[in-house]
Amino acid sequence: MAKKSMIAREVKREKLVKQYAERRAELKAIVNNQELPMEERFRATLKLAKLPRNSSKVRLHNRCQLTGRPHAYYRKLKISRIALRDLGSAGQIPGMVKSSW
């Protein structure tokens, strides 16, 4: 189980990304538009830099929904390999059978 603070930090980041997504997209569109004057694009860059760092989507990290583990994460299931194995052994996942030889 991951530390509660790490899980809470990731939830906080997800919330900030959703909150600032529209504003970031607008500013990035201005910055990337080559037809606008350089001064206007530079002002948009400064505004973009003033936004919180954690509002950037790049800073998000995938974590297991059950344990908070950051490594060995299956995107499709949103859980880690260890949680997947535990659920499979317990019979919680339909069609998944623990292999033994």
Side-chain angles (χ1 to χ4, degrees), residues 7-53:
I7 296 170
R9 187 181 302 166
E10 203 61 39
V11 170
K12 180 182 174 184
R13 283 185 185 141
E14 288 173 12
K15 183 179 166 187
L16 278 172
V17 167
K18 286 180 186 174
Q19 182 180 346
Y20 287 97
E22 190 175 322
R23 197 172 311 166
R24 269 186 173 281
E26 290 170 1
L27 289 171
K28 280 192 172 190
I30 293 171
V31 170
N32 292 330
N33 189 352
Q34 297 291 326
E35 297 172 1
L36 294 175
M38 190 65 160
E39 294 82 23
E40 189 175 341
R41 290 171 45 209
F42 186 69
R43 269 188 254 117
T45 305
L46 293 177
K47 286 181 184 177
L48 193 61
K50 285 187 178 181
L51 294 177
R53 275 189 181 173

